[in-house]
Amino acid sequence: MSRELARREHDPFRERMGIGDSISGLFDDFFNERPTLAGRSMRSDTGLGWTPAVNIRETDDALIVYAGLPGVERDDVDLEVQENALILTGKCKTVDGEGGWVREELPSGQFYRAFNLSAEVDPDKVKASFNNGILEICLPKAEQSKPHKVEIT
């Protein structure tokens, strides 16, 4: 094995940079209120997959969830509402390549997210759309969960 090849295979500086990136990412996740490892690719041989990042907002009439699913096909996503929970599962295919990656961060493999909903929703009226890698899920609140104005007499 050539000296140059051996140096590339075991590069302490590169290893330290990788550890630093991992620690920095954990602090970013914690202080930016992003779920730990959200959007980060995990080694597929561990079976852990990856966790899509989401934004959730609430209006008087609905809960709206935006999930970042880069590289995921619409047909590879499953969405379910059951017992006041939203469950999002699916898979992202691995980027084709010849290997020899210097850095690998794009998500691949199975993913799973589940959320307890803060309001009762009408499951028959849930709508979802997928555009440019963003899944938008609109969960209309059940009538009894919507705010009601009370007249003061």
Side-chain angles (χ1 to χ4, degrees):
M1 177 180 329
S2 76
R3 233 175 148 176
E4 180 62 31
L5 183 58
R7 197 174 321 147
R8 270 190 269 151
E9 286 183 4
H10 178 70
D11 184 350
F13 180 71
R14 183 175 288 166
E15 289 173 13
R16 280 196 199 115
M17 290 298 291
I19 291 168
D21 287 348
S22 297
I23 292 170
S24 175
L26 289 173
F27 279 105
D28 288 345
D29 291 347
F30 180 77
F31 290 110
N32 293 322
E33 298 180 12
R34 187 169 92 170
T36 303
L37 304 175
R40 291 194 195 321
S41 178
M42 302 291 287
R43 292 185 49 120
S44 59
D45 58 347
T46 64
L48 294 175
W50 62 288
T51 306
V54 299
N55 289 346
I56 302 174
R57 68 183 174 101
E58 183 172 8
T59 67
D60 287 344
D61 298 322
L63 296 166
I64 300 136
V65 178
Y66 301 90
L69 302 173
V72 176
E73 300 288 332
R74 178 187 327 257
D75 293 338
D76 292 332
V77 178
D78 291 312
L79 190 58
E80 199 173 324
V81 176
Q82 60 175 261
E83 297 181 22
N84 218 38
L86 173 67
I87 301 167
L88 173 64
T89 58
K91 65 182 175 191
C92 181
K93 296 178 180 97
T94 305
V95 174
D96 291 331
E98 298 296 317
W101 300 107
V102 174
R103 187 172 189 105
E104 190 174 0
E105 296 183 347
L106 291 173
S108 64
Q110 301 290 322
F111 62 85
Y112 173 88
R113 288 300 302 263
F115 303 94
N116 288 322
L117 302 173
S118 60
E120 191 174 333
V121 300
D122 186 343
D124 295 327
K125 294 183 180 177
V126 173
K127 292 190 189 296
S129 61
F130 194 69
N131 190 21
N132 293 327
I134 302 293
L135 176 63
E136 181 179 344
I137 309 157
C138 182
L139 301 136
K141 291 181 182 177
E143 205 54 46
Q144 62 269 23
S145 293
K146 292 180 183 178
H148 297 281
K149 186 164 176 88
V150 176
E151 186 177 328
I152 301 172
T153 58

